[in-house]
Amino acid sequence: TLEHGVNGESEDQDQDQDQDWDEGEDGGKTTSKLAGWCGAVGCGLTNGSLMVPFHYFSEAHSGSNASIAYIASFAIGVAVVTPVGFALFFRVPFKPAPPLRPSELALPGLITGCFWAIGNLCSTYATYYLGQSVGYPLTQTCIVVAGLWGALFFGELRGWKSLTLFGVSVCAIIGGASLLGLYG
């Protein structure tokens, strides 16, 4: 839970889970890196194309209500696809299933989902009024806020290399957002 993660109490459990991944001569590092790269590319492709349906939907339906109508169809799509993704996640043969704790995690998960839905609705309004080239990239500056929470509150970044890379990345994101705001 949040308390355990903040206090660092789950590190032993994470190390035990990491041992399950360590197979092969290189300790499983190649498999882990390949899975990480594949996950990053997959996330980039799916997140990068997230607003493509909205683009075509807003062309077909004019007015500010198009954003709300799009969110409704998006929510139905999420409700259909999520159980499939959940089932596939637990069918991955090389990864042990994590323990489920619905009594501890249901309420924080629901609250987080509500916040995400509100943010997604606001991002579709921003994209509708500012356009695809400016509105949606500006909504992605939330990465800076999430990264700052991770670095400052949860202590996820340790060492000068990680902090320097994060600082450079924040500057690139803010610089890109500023250029989009000025010239987009």
Side-chain angles (χ1 to χ4, degrees):
T1 61
L2 179 63
E3 179 181 342
H4 297 295
V6 172
N7 294 331
E9 295 173 14
S10 63
E11 290 179 7
D12 294 336
Q13 184 181 12
D14 291 342
Q15 290 173 354
D16 291 342
Q17 288 178 353
D18 288 343
Q19 290 174 357
D20 293 335
W21 284 84
D22 291 342
E23 296 176 1
E25 295 176 8
D26 61 353
K29 291 181 182 176
T30 303
T31 305
S32 183
K33 274 190 176 181
L34 179 63
W37 278 103
C38 289
V41 168
C43 183
L45 289 174
T46 54
N47 194 25
S49 61
L50 182 67
M51 296 303 279
V52 171
F54 176 69
H55 172 73
Y56 291 110
F57 189 87
S58 62
E59 282 183 355
H61 302 84
S62 61
S64 62
N65 290 335
S67 297
I68 294 173
Y70 172 75
I71 290 297
S73 65
F74 185 82
I76 292 169
V78 168
V80 169
V81 171
T82 298
V84 174
F86 187 74
L88 290 175
F89 177 77
F90 282 104
R91 296 292 304 152
V92 176
F94 57 86
K95 184 177 180 186
L100 295 178
R101 299 182 189 132
S103 62
E104 296 175 28
L105 302 176
L107 183 62
L110 288 171
I111 292 171
T112 302
C114 288
F115 280 133
W116 181 85
I118 292 167
N120 194 30
L121 178 64
C122 293
S123 73
T124 57
Y125 270 111
T127 304
Y128 179 78
Y129 287 110
L130 297 174
Q132 289 282 335
S133 62
V134 178
Y136 188 69
L138 286 178
T139 65
Q140 296 305 301
T141 56
C142 64
I143 296 169
V144 174
V145 176
L148 288 172
W149 269 101
L152 301 176
F153 184 72
F154 294 108
E156 293 174 347
L157 297 177
R158 295 184 184 106
W160 67 272
K161 286 182 181 179
S162 297
L163 291 171
T164 302
L165 181 61
F166 177 71
V168 169
S169 300
V170 167
C171 290
I173 290 170
I174 291 175
S178 298
L179 290 173
L180 279 171
L182 292 172
Y183 303 108

